[in-house]
Structures are given as structure tokens and as C-alpha cells.
């Protein structure tokens, strides 16, 4: 079976254990790892490094595509092996280390990490750990369930460790579209004209001499935690579908819409699932991650093609699609994340971006990363790549949470990731605010009317009315702008 996965004979001599491979990683190194939203990540070597760090202290800079699975970030943070981490994470243990200042977290737009590596705005990469389905005769790597930044890490790292995962079906071969744009000033145009356009090769090119170790694994990706749609997420989906129907009636969209992008998580997954019972058809995706809802839409005949950088699904969905992957193979392509998140391609194809907010304010500014303005949650991910460049930039969140002690619509956001200039549509379980073509005061009126939870509407309107008496293009009572956050910190509720 290993002979079927390692087609270059001289690399068979480099098969070692994860512990042996981890010895190549030394204190102070910049380390790259494959992996994008828990898919296609290093499942053995980095965990072995975390164990080693408990006895042999070291610290590394770890750069990935996005989040890792297998509790790898927790293990590395718990053994104090991380000095810097970028560009995205979702682990609570690592999050605590970031917020107490032990780990320096650099929150990148996901399309920009390899740009900064290529342009030497970041230190050079010493070693990369990349998961592969197989190694071709020329040494090139067929990725598994994500591409992320792996192709660029293979090109930029001085040394490479390959984890060949025998649990990945060989039907994944041919799924990937690897295209490298090169460096400045002669970068290549990205000639993608639709989500189904293929422009590259099926494997990651690499100098075989760079490969210093090969590790054999048989570990599945960590499953996504997908919860069924609830009353709030169903309401959000309903408001959004009603809006899309209106856009079709107005002649601005067709029933196939335009390519869809949806962020990760239960709200985005529920919104996409809402299309199952709609009149929309022949849908396509140009996104970062394919979740359970994507495959539900394929099975229902609603979606025809999906382009992304990873497949991140629940355990049940993973088992089902991997057992019969040929059923979906001609409907999917996985690309490097600087291609899946390319601003120019997103703008040109007219992608509809649907992302999740932690909170937004009266004027449409969105916070998607920081709780209370100070504590990092996960990171901006690719939401900025899509929000700034989308045909429609949509942000969704619940109007209130924690037994309505927290309002997610506020006088002023405590941290700004997406300015009002990049936000077209805001949706909560209470309703939808179409902000296109509106001045700040008009935006405030429609957000108050449609998005705010009833228990906070009067208080927010009172704030808005008093702010307007002071005048200004974007009226505020600055000494009160963060009073709702202050009340929550001091009294456990935003209510006066």
C-alpha cells in the first residue's frame, strides 16, 4: 500500500516516525504546516513536536493556511512551543495563550500570508510539514482535503516533511488545481472565468531534494461541529432568501444567483441549507471552505459546482462523501487560498459573500474578531478578502444572545474589521437591512427598524436621537459609545 502512495523510490528510504521527523524542527525556526479549517493538516509531526517540547523546551513561529485539527494548536500552546502564530486559529487553549500575551498572534487576511512570505516581509521559512494523499514519481505532492498555503510552503521552505495519509482515498487525485502566480514584478494573471475553470496542475511541484522525511499516517481530519439550524439561524436564512427573491424580481439577479461564498460555522451552514427549500437552482460556489450544506445542495440537485480551498465537514458527512467521492469529484475543485481568496477574481466573477459578525453598529461597521474589543476570538480569516470585493457583501449574526444580556447591534463596535464602506447587507434573526446607497443617518434608521432585538430597540434609538442633536455626518455621543460594553463587563448585561 505504501508503494502505491510513494511513487518515487528514493523517498521510501526517508520514511521515519513522527518523533524522528520532529527532530528536524529546532528552537527559533519558522515552521509552515498544511491545513485549512481542520482539513489536510499535519496530524502527527506537530503533535510529536509538542510532546518533545515538554522535555526539551523550544519555541517556533507557526504559519498555516488556517486552523489546525487534532487539538494540535492546544498541544503546542500547552507545551509553550509557540512564540508566534498566524494567520488563523479556533482553539480555546491557544486563544487563552494569545489573549494573555504569551503567543504573538498575527491576524492576516488569508490571501495575504504567502504574499508577505514571498515579499520577505516575514522571516524565511525554515521547514514545512505537508500532508499528502500520495507522492508522484517526480516528487510532487497530491494534497488531501485542503490546499491552503501548502503549494507556496513547498516552494518557499528550505526543507519539507511529508505526511502521507493512507486514510485518504486515492479518488482525491485530480481534485486539486495548483496554480502559482510567481513574484513581483512579473506575476501571472489568474485566468479563472467561472468556479469550474481549471488553470493549473493536479499536484504541488517540489524539489525532491528538499524532502528530508516522510511520515506515514492513517488519521482522519478532525470533524466540523455542525449543529442543526435553530430558530434564529432559520430566521436569518429566511430573511436572506426573501432578499434574494426580491433581487430576482428587480432583475439584479437570476435564480442561479452569482457564485456564493459562505464563512465557516453554524450560521453560514444554516444559511446555505436554507436554499434546499427555495426556488433557486444551478447554484455555484467560489468560496474558502465546503461544509455539509454544500454536499446537501449537490445531493438535492440545487448546486452544480463548488470551488474552494478545503473540505471541512461533520463526521457523518465525511464518512459518507469519502466512501463514494467519485460521486462529487467532477463538481469540486480545491485551490491554493491566495487563488480561492483572490480579490481580483472575487470582484470580476461577482461573488456574493456571506460572513458572520460578532457585532455591528448603527452605521454598518462590523467586528468579526474581538470580544469586547480586546480578546481575540478566531481571526478575520478570509472575510475581508470577500467583503471588500464582493458583488454583495453580507454579514449575519443573531440580534441578541445569552438570554438577551448581549446585543449584537450597538452604538459603536468595539473593534472594526470591516468598515461601513465594505458592508452592503446586514441580517439578524429580526430582519434584514439593505444599506446600499444610504448615508450614515439613513443606515442607522434602517438598522434600527429591521435588525435590533426588541429589548434594545428603544435604548439604541434614544442613543441615535441624542447623537443627532449634536450634529455630524456620523453622529455619536462619544462618552457613551462604548457604555453598552462597559455595562456588560461590570454588570453582566448590556441593558441599562
Amino acid at each position: 500500500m505504501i508503494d502505491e502512495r510513494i511513487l518515487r523510490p528514493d523517498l521510501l528510504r526517508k520514511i521515519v516516525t513522527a518523533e524522528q521527523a520532529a527532530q528536524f524542527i529546532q528552537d527559533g525556526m519558522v515552521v509552515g504546516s498544511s491545513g485549512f479549517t481542520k482539513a489536510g493538516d499535519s496530524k502527527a509531526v506537530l503533535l510529536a513536536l509538542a510532546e518533545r517540547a515538554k522535555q526539551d523546551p523550544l519555541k517556533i513561529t507557526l504559519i498555516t493556511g488556517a486552523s489546525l485539527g487534532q487539538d494540535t494548536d492546544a498541544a503546542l500552546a500547552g507545551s509553550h512551543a509557540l512564540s508566534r502564530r498566524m494567520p488563523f486559529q479556533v482553539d480555546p487553549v491557544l486563544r487563552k495563550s494569545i489573549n494573555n500575551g504569551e503567543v504573538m498572534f498575527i491576524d492576516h487576511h488569508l490571501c495575504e500570508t504567502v504574499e508577505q512570505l514571498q515579499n520577505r516581509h516575514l522571516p524565511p521559512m525554515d521547514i514545512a510539514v505537508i500532508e499528502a494523499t500520495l507522492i508522484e514519481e517526480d516528487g510532487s505532492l497530491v494534497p488531501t482535503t485542503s490546499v491552503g498555503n501548502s503549494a507556496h510552503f513547498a516552494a518557499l521552505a528550505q526543507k519539507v516533511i511529508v505526511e502521507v495519509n493512507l486514510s485518504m482515498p486515492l479518488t482525491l487525485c485530480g481534485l486539486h488545481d495548483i496554480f502559482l502566480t510567481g513574484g513581483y514584478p512579473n506575476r501571472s494573471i489568474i485566468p479563472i472565468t467561472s468556479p469550474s475553470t481549471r488553470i493549473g496542475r493536479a499536484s504541488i511541484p517540489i524539489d525532491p531534494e528538499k524532502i528530508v522525511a516522510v511520515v506515514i499516517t492513517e488519521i482522519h481530519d478532525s470533524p466540523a461541529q455542525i449543529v442543526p439550524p435553530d430558530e434564529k439561524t432559520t430566521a436569518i436564512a429566511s430573511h436572506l432568501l426573501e432578499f434574494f427573491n426580491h433581487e430576482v424580481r428587480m432583475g439584479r439577479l437570476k435564480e442561479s444567483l452569482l457564485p456564493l461564498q459562505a464563512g465557516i460555522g453554524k450560521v453560514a451552514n444554516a444559511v446555505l441549507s436554507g436554499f434546499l427549500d427555495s426556488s433557486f437552482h444551478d447554484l455555484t460556489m467560489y468560496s474558502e471552505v465546503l461544509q455539509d450544506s454544500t454536499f446537501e445542495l449537490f445531493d438535492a440537485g440545487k448546486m452544480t459546482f463548488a470551488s474552494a480551498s478545503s473540505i471541512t465537514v461533520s463526521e457523518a458527512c465525511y464518512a459518507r462523501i469519502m466512501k463514494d467521492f467519485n460521486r462529487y469529484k467532477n463538481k469540486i475543485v480545491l485551490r491554493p487560498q491566495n487563488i480561492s481568496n483572490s480579490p481580483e477574481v472575487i470582484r470580476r466573477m461577482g461573488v456574493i459573500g456571506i460572513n458572520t459578525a460578532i457585532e455591528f453598529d448603527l452605521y454598518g461597521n462590523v467586528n468579526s474578531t474581538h470580544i469586547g474589543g480586546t480578546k481575540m476570538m478566531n481571526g478575520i480569516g478570509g472575510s475581508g478578502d470577500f467583503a471588500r470585493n464582493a458583488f454583495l457583501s453580507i454579514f449575519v449574526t443573531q440580534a441578541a444572545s445569552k438570554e438577551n444580556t448581549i446585543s449584537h447591534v450597538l452604538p459603536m463596535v468595539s473593534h472594526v474589521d470591516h468598515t461601513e464602506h465594505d458592508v452592503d447587507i446586514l441580517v439578524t434573526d429580526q430582519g434584514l437591512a439593505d444599506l446600499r446607497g444610504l448615508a450614515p443617518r439613513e443606515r442607522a434608521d434602517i438598522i434600527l427598524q429591521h435588525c435590533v432585538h426588541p429589548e434594545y430597540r428603544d435604548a439604541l434609538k434614544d442613543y441615535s436621537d441624542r447623537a443627532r442633536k449634536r450634529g455630524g455626518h456620523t453622529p455619536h455621543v462619544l462618552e457613551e459609545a462604548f457604555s453598552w460594553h462597559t455595562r456588560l463587563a461590570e454588570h453582566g448585561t448590556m441593558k441599562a
Side-chain angles (χ1 to χ4, degrees):
M1 191 172 183
I2 292 175
D3 290 344
E4 295 177 350
R5 301 291 185 130
I6 304 175
L7 305 183
R8 187 179 179 90
D10 62 316
L11 293 179
L12 291 169
R13 298 192 299 271
K14 296 186 178 181
I15 295 175
V16 297
T17 66
E19 291 73 19
Q20 290 171 322
Q23 292 294 327
F24 285 100
I25 301 173
Q26 299 298 317
D27 183 46
M29 279 189 169
V30 176
V31 179
S33 173
S34 62
F36 193 105
T37 58
K38 301 184 179 182
D41 53 328
S42 166
K43 298 175 173 62
V45 174
L46 291 182
L47 286 172
L49 179 69
E51 280 299 309
R52 174 182 142 209
K54 293 177 182 178
Q55 308 299 325
D56 179 16
L58 56 81
K59 285 189 179 292
I60 63 169
T61 293
L62 178 60
I63 309 175
T64 60
S67 54
L68 299 175
Q70 319 302 322
D71 294 324
T72 301
D73 274 325
L76 289 166
S79 61
H80 308 286
L82 294 177
S83 60
R84 290 180 178 269
R85 178 75 169 87
M86 63 188 86
F88 188 80
Q89 56 78 42
V90 297
D91 186 85
V93 177
L94 175 55
R95 186 181 302 132
K96 184 176 180 180
S97 295
I98 291 168
N99 287 323
N100 68 22
E102 178 183 351
V103 177
M104 296 295 104
F105 180 62
I106 296 88
D107 189 19
H108 281 165
H109 294 296
L110 292 188
C111 73
E112 291 187 347
T113 306
V114 296
E115 302 267 340
Q116 295 201 19
L117 279 168
Q118 284 180 312
N119 299 335
R120 293 180 291 179
H121 297 161
L122 296 174
M125 182 168 287
D126 297 293
I127 194 164
V129 187
I130 299 173
E131 184 180 76
T133 301
L134 63 79
I135 304 176
E136 299 280 13
E137 290 183 21
D138 62 356
S140 62
L141 311 177
V142 175
T144 58
T145 47
S146 75
V147 179
N149 285 325
S150 296
H152 294 86
F153 291 169
L156 296 170
Q158 296 178 31
K159 298 177 181 179
V160 175
I161 299 168
V162 182
E163 293 188 14
V164 176
N165 192 332
L166 304 184
S167 77
M168 297 292 174
L170 289 172
T171 48
L172 292 176
C173 297
L175 173 68
H176 312 90
D177 187 47
I178 310 301
F179 181 80
L180 303 179
T181 59
Y184 293 106
N186 299 310
R187 300 184 68 189
S188 299
I189 293 170
I190 303 172
I192 293 175
T193 55
S194 74
S196 60
T197 305
R198 288 181 175 271
I199 59 174
R201 52 182 289 170
S203 59
I204 295 172
I206 186 173
D207 177 0
E209 295 300 316
K210 281 189 176 185
I211 300 175
V212 295
V214 177
V215 176
I216 307 300
T217 69
E218 294 188 65
I219 307 168
H220 293 166
D221 287 335
S222 295
Q225 302 302 314
I226 302 296
V227 299
D230 57 23
E231 184 178 354
K232 289 183 179 181
T233 56
T234 299
I236 290 170
S238 176
H239 298 315
L240 199 47
L241 290 170
E242 182 181 346
F243 167 76
F244 286 140
N245 278 312
H246 173 74
E247 293 299 287
V248 172
R249 290 193 297 271
M250 296 299 292
R252 289 189 284 258
L253 288 172
K254 297 180 179 179
E255 287 194 334
S256 57
L257 302 179
L258 285 166
L260 299 168
Q261 175 264 337
I264 61 171
K266 69 175 186 178
V267 177
N269 196 67
V271 167
L272 285 181
S273 294
F275 284 105
L276 290 168
D277 297 321
S278 73
S279 61
F280 298 101
H281 56 83
D282 295 320
L283 300 170
T284 59
M285 290 189 73
Y286 193 83
S287 192
E288 306 161 289
V289 180
L290 307 184
Q291 299 187 89
D292 288 34
S293 53
T294 305
F295 295 93
E296 292 170 2
L297 291 168
F298 280 141
D299 293 341
K302 290 283 188 178
M303 183 166 287
T304 60
F305 201 90
S307 167
S309 195
S310 81
I311 299 171
T312 303
V313 293
S314 67
E315 188 172 6
C317 184
Y318 187 95
R320 178 172 63 83
I321 66 175
M322 289 301 172
K323 184 178 180 180
D324 186 20
F325 196 75
N326 277 328
R327 179 179 176 185
Y328 303 101
K329 188 172 177 179
N330 66 346
K331 302 176 182 179
I332 297 172
V333 63
L334 297 184
R335 312 181 190 275
Q337 67 194 68
N338 68 321
I339 305 296
S340 68
N341 291 38
S342 165
E344 189 275 331
V345 176
I346 293 165
R347 176 68 62 90
R348 179 160 43 81
M349 289 202 303
V351 173
I352 297 172
I354 307 170
N355 289 287
T356 305
I358 289 175
E359 61 187 19
F360 60 83
D361 66 25
L362 274 172
Y363 302 109
N365 300 290
V366 172
N367 171 16
S368 61
T369 58
H370 285 74
I371 303 297
T374 60
K375 294 186 177 181
M376 171 58 66
M377 188 63 183
N378 299 324
I380 196 169
S383 58
D385 302 330
F386 287 90
R388 173 60 64 89
N389 302 288
F391 175 84
L392 283 170
S393 175
I394 301 168
F395 281 90
V396 300
T397 188
Q398 55 190 322
S401 64
K402 306 291 185 183
E403 299 181 344
N404 299 334
T405 58
I406 298 174
S407 174
H408 294 266
V409 190
L410 298 154
M412 184 182 286
V413 288
S414 56
H415 176 90
V416 181
D417 292 293
H418 312 283
T419 72
E420 58 181 290
H421 313 291
D422 301 331
V423 180
D424 298 317
I425 309 294
L426 292 170
V427 194
T428 71
D429 50 293
Q430 298 297 313
L432 180 146
D434 184 348
L435 308 180
R436 293 174 294 177
L438 300 183
R441 292 175 185 235
E442 296 170 315
R443 285 174 167 237
D445 288 339
I446 198 167
I447 289 170
L448 276 165
Q449 181 181 352
H450 292 291
C451 295
V452 184
H453 191 278
E455 294 183 22
Y456 288 94
R457 192 171 293 136
D458 288 346
L460 197 56
K461 186 176 186 309
D462 175 68
Y463 173 88
S464 180
D465 290 342
R466 288 185 292 110
R468 292 185 187 199
K469 290 178 180 178
R470 297 191 176 193
H473 176 251
T474 306
H476 271 298
V477 182
L478 288 179
E479 64 270 25
E480 295 183 27
F482 297 120
S483 61
W484 294 32
H485 298 92
T486 303
R487 282 199 295 270
L488 178 64
E490 294 178 351
H491 305 294
T493 180
M494 288 186 174
K495 295 177 183 177

Short mmCIF file of all heavy atoms in Angstrom, two decimals, residues 39-73:
data_model
loop_
_atom_site.label_atom_id
_atom_site.label_comp_id
_atom_site.label_asym_id
_atom_site.label_seq_id
_atom_site.Cartn_x
_atom_site.Cartn_y
_atom_site.Cartn_z
N ALA A 39 -8.73 20.76 8.01
CA ALA A 39 -8.66 19.78 6.92
C ALA A 39 -7.26 19.78 6.32
O ALA A 39 -6.65 20.82 6.10
CB ALA A 39 -9.68 20.11 5.84
N GLY A 40 -6.74 18.57 6.05
CA GLY A 40 -5.46 18.44 5.37
C GLY A 40 -4.27 18.92 6.16
O GLY A 40 -3.24 19.31 5.60
N ASP A 41 -4.37 18.87 7.50
CA ASP A 41 -3.32 19.42 8.36
C ASP A 41 -2.31 18.35 8.75
O ASP A 41 -2.52 17.16 8.55
CB ASP A 41 -3.95 20.02 9.62
CG ASP A 41 -4.86 19.03 10.35
OD1 ASP A 41 -5.49 18.19 9.68
OD2 ASP A 41 -4.94 19.09 11.58
N SER A 42 -1.20 18.79 9.34
CA SER A 42 -0.24 17.87 9.93
C SER A 42 -0.90 17.18 11.12
O SER A 42 -1.33 17.84 12.07
CB SER A 42 1.00 18.62 10.40
OG SER A 42 1.80 17.80 11.24
N LYS A 43 -0.95 15.87 11.08
CA LYS A 43 -1.66 15.12 12.12
C LYS A 43 -0.74 14.34 13.05
O LYS A 43 -1.20 13.69 13.98
CB LYS A 43 -2.66 14.16 11.47
CG LYS A 43 -3.74 14.88 10.65
CD LYS A 43 -4.63 13.89 9.94
CE LYS A 43 -5.82 14.58 9.27
NZ LYS A 43 -5.43 15.54 8.22
N ALA A 44 0.56 14.38 12.79
CA ALA A 44 1.49 13.58 13.58
C ALA A 44 2.73 14.35 14.00
O ALA A 44 3.10 14.37 15.18
CB ALA A 44 1.89 12.33 12.79
N VAL A 45 3.39 15.02 13.07
CA VAL A 45 4.69 15.61 13.35
C VAL A 45 4.57 16.76 14.36
O VAL A 45 5.35 16.85 15.31
CB VAL A 45 5.37 16.09 12.06
CG1 VAL A 45 6.67 16.84 12.38
CG2 VAL A 45 5.66 14.89 11.16
N LEU A 46 3.60 17.64 14.17
CA LEU A 46 3.47 18.77 15.10
C LEU A 46 3.06 18.31 16.49
O LEU A 46 3.48 18.88 17.50
CB LEU A 46 2.48 19.80 14.56
CG LEU A 46 2.92 20.56 13.32
CD1 LEU A 46 1.87 21.59 12.92
CD2 LEU A 46 4.28 21.25 13.53
N LEU A 47 2.25 17.26 16.57
CA LEU A 47 1.90 16.71 17.88
C LEU A 47 3.12 16.08 18.55
O LEU A 47 3.32 16.20 19.76
CB LEU A 47 0.78 15.68 17.74
CG LEU A 47 -0.61 16.27 17.46
CD1 LEU A 47 -1.61 15.15 17.16
CD2 LEU A 47 -1.10 17.10 18.65
N ALA A 48 3.97 15.43 17.74
CA ALA A 48 5.21 14.88 18.29
C ALA A 48 6.13 16.00 18.77
O ALA A 48 6.82 15.86 19.79
CB ALA A 48 5.91 14.03 17.23
N LEU A 49 6.14 17.10 18.05
CA LEU A 49 6.94 18.25 18.47
C LEU A 49 6.44 18.81 19.80
O LEU A 49 7.23 19.16 20.68
CB LEU A 49 6.89 19.33 17.40
CG LEU A 49 7.67 20.60 17.70
CD1 LEU A 49 9.18 20.33 17.69
CD2 LEU A 49 7.32 21.72 16.72
N ALA A 50 5.12 18.87 19.96
CA ALA A 50 4.55 19.37 21.22
C ALA A 50 4.96 18.48 22.39
O ALA A 50 5.29 18.98 23.47
CB ALA A 50 3.03 19.43 21.11
N GLU A 51 4.97 17.18 22.19
CA GLU A 51 5.40 16.25 23.24
C GLU A 51 6.88 16.44 23.56
O GLU A 51 7.28 16.46 24.73
CB GLU A 51 5.14 14.80 22.81
CG GLU A 51 3.71 14.36 22.97
CD GLU A 51 3.26 14.41 24.42
OE1 GLU A 51 3.95 13.86 25.30
OE2 GLU A 51 2.22 15.07 24.69
N ARG A 52 7.68 16.60 22.52
CA ARG A 52 9.11 16.80 22.74
C ARG A 52 9.38 18.09 23.51
O ARG A 52 10.28 18.15 24.37
CB ARG A 52 9.82 16.84 21.39
CG ARG A 52 11.30 17.19 21.45
CD ARG A 52 11.90 17.26 20.06
NE ARG A 52 12.86 18.33 19.95
CZ ARG A 52 13.12 18.98 18.83
NH1 ARG A 52 12.47 18.68 17.73
NH2 ARG A 52 14.02 19.93 18.82
N ALA A 53 8.59 19.14 23.22
CA ALA A 53 8.81 20.44 23.86
C ALA A 53 8.58 20.40 25.36
O ALA A 53 9.09 21.26 26.09
CB ALA A 53 7.91 21.49 23.21
N LYS A 54 7.83 19.40 25.84
CA LYS A 54 7.62 19.29 27.28
C LYS A 54 8.91 18.95 28.02
O LYS A 54 9.12 19.35 29.16
CB LYS A 54 6.57 18.21 27.57
CG LYS A 54 5.17 18.55 27.08
CD LYS A 54 4.21 17.39 27.34
CE LYS A 54 2.81 17.70 26.81
NZ LYS A 54 1.89 16.55 27.02
N GLN A 55 9.80 18.20 27.35
CA GLN A 55 11.08 17.81 27.96
C GLN A 55 12.25 18.64 27.43
O GLN A 55 13.25 18.81 28.12
CB GLN A 55 11.35 16.32 27.67
CG GLN A 55 10.22 15.38 28.05
CD GLN A 55 9.90 15.44 29.53
OE1 GLN A 55 10.80 15.60 30.36
NE2 GLN A 55 8.62 15.32 29.87
N ASP A 56 12.10 19.11 26.20
CA ASP A 56 13.17 19.84 25.53
C ASP A 56 12.60 21.18 25.05
O ASP A 56 12.23 21.33 23.90
CB ASP A 56 13.68 19.02 24.34
CG ASP A 56 14.78 19.72 23.56
OD1 ASP A 56 15.37 20.68 24.10
OD2 ASP A 56 15.04 19.31 22.40
N PRO A 57 12.52 22.18 25.94
CA PRO A 57 11.81 23.42 25.62
C PRO A 57 12.33 24.09 24.35
O PRO A 57 13.54 24.18 24.11
CB PRO A 57 12.08 24.30 26.85
CG PRO A 57 12.32 23.32 27.96
CD PRO A 57 13.05 22.17 27.32
N LEU A 58 11.39 24.54 23.54
CA LEU A 58 11.70 25.28 22.33
C LEU A 58 10.50 26.14 21.97
O LEU A 58 9.39 25.91 22.46
CB LEU A 58 12.07 24.34 21.17
CG LEU A 58 11.06 23.25 20.76
CD1 LEU A 58 9.96 23.79 19.87
CD2 LEU A 58 11.79 22.12 20.05
N LYS A 59 10.72 27.10 21.10
CA LYS A 59 9.63 27.93 20.60
C LYS A 59 9.80 28.14 19.11
O LYS A 59 10.92 28.40 18.64
CB LYS A 59 9.59 29.29 21.32
CG LYS A 59 9.05 29.20 22.75
CD LYS A 59 8.84 30.58 23.35
CE LYS A 59 8.28 30.51 24.76
NZ LYS A 59 6.89 29.98 24.78
N ILE A 60 8.69 28.06 18.39
CA ILE A 60 8.71 28.23 16.95
C ILE A 60 7.68 29.29 16.55
O ILE A 60 6.76 29.62 17.31
CB ILE A 60 8.39 26.92 16.21
CG1 ILE A 60 6.96 26.44 16.54
CG2 ILE A 60 9.43 25.85 16.51
CD1 ILE A 60 6.46 25.31 15.65
N THR A 61 7.84 29.81 15.35
CA THR A 61 6.79 30.56 14.67
C THR A 61 6.07 29.58 13.78
O THR A 61 6.69 28.92 12.94
CB THR A 61 7.38 31.71 13.83
OG1 THR A 61 7.94 32.68 14.70
CG2 THR A 61 6.31 32.36 12.98
N LEU A 62 4.74 29.47 13.94
CA LEU A 62 3.97 28.51 13.15
C LEU A 62 3.02 29.26 12.22
O LEU A 62 2.21 30.07 12.65
CB LEU A 62 3.15 27.60 14.07
CG LEU A 62 2.26 26.57 13.36
CD1 LEU A 62 3.09 25.63 12.48
CD2 LEU A 62 1.43 25.77 14.37
N ILE A 63 3.17 28.98 10.92
CA ILE A 63 2.33 29.57 9.89
C ILE A 63 1.56 28.44 9.20
O ILE A 63 2.14 27.42 8.83
CB ILE A 63 3.17 30.34 8.85
CG1 ILE A 63 4.11 31.33 9.55
CG2 ILE A 63 2.27 31.06 7.86
CD1 ILE A 63 5.04 32.05 8.59
N THR A 64 0.27 28.63 9.02
CA THR A 64 -0.56 27.60 8.40
C THR A 64 -1.38 28.24 7.29
O THR A 64 -1.19 29.39 6.91
CB THR A 64 -1.50 26.97 9.44
OG1 THR A 64 -2.34 28.00 9.99
CG2 THR A 64 -0.71 26.33 10.57
N GLY A 65 -2.35 27.44 6.78
CA GLY A 65 -3.34 28.03 5.88
C GLY A 65 -4.41 28.70 6.71
O GLY A 65 -4.71 29.87 6.54
N ALA A 66 -5.00 27.94 7.65
CA ALA A 66 -5.97 28.49 8.60
C ALA A 66 -5.86 27.64 9.87
O ALA A 66 -4.76 27.34 10.32
CB ALA A 66 -7.37 28.51 8.00
N SER A 67 -6.99 27.20 10.42
CA SER A 67 -6.95 26.47 11.69
C SER A 67 -6.51 25.02 11.48
O SER A 67 -6.70 24.43 10.42
CB SER A 67 -8.32 26.51 12.36
OG SER A 67 -9.32 26.03 11.49
N LEU A 68 -5.93 24.44 12.55
CA LEU A 68 -5.50 23.04 12.55
C LEU A 68 -6.48 22.20 13.35
O LEU A 68 -7.16 22.69 14.25
CB LEU A 68 -4.10 22.92 13.17
CG LEU A 68 -2.98 23.67 12.47
CD1 LEU A 68 -1.69 23.55 13.27
CD2 LEU A 68 -2.78 23.14 11.05
N GLY A 69 -6.53 20.91 13.04
CA GLY A 69 -7.34 19.97 13.81
C GLY A 69 -6.48 19.19 14.78
O GLY A 69 -5.35 19.58 15.13
N GLN A 70 -7.03 18.07 15.25
CA GLN A 70 -6.32 17.15 16.14
C GLN A 70 -5.89 17.78 17.45
O GLN A 70 -4.99 17.27 18.14
CB GLN A 70 -5.08 16.54 15.45
CG GLN A 70 -5.25 16.14 14.00
CD GLN A 70 -6.36 15.14 13.78
OE1 GLN A 70 -6.54 14.25 14.59
NE2 GLN A 70 -7.10 15.29 12.69
N ASP A 71 -6.46 18.93 17.81
CA ASP A 71 -6.04 19.67 19.01
C ASP A 71 -4.56 20.03 18.97
O ASP A 71 -3.91 20.19 20.00
CB ASP A 71 -6.35 18.87 20.29
CG ASP A 71 -7.84 18.69 20.52
OD1 ASP A 71 -8.60 19.62 20.21
OD2 ASP A 71 -8.24 17.62 21.02
N THR A 72 -4.03 20.17 17.76
CA THR A 72 -2.60 20.45 17.60
C THR A 72 -2.23 21.81 18.19
O THR A 72 -1.22 21.94 18.89
CB THR A 72 -2.21 20.39 16.12
OG1 THR A 72 -2.50 19.08 15.62
CG2 THR A 72 -0.74 20.68 15.93
N ASP A 73 -3.03 22.83 17.90
CA ASP A 73 -2.74 24.15 18.46
C ASP A 73 -2.77 24.12 19.99
O ASP A 73 -1.96 24.77 20.65
CB ASP A 73 -3.74 25.18 17.93
CG ASP A 73 -3.32 25.78 16.60
OD1 ASP A 73 -2.10 25.96 16.40
OD2 ASP A 73 -4.18 26.07 15.77
#
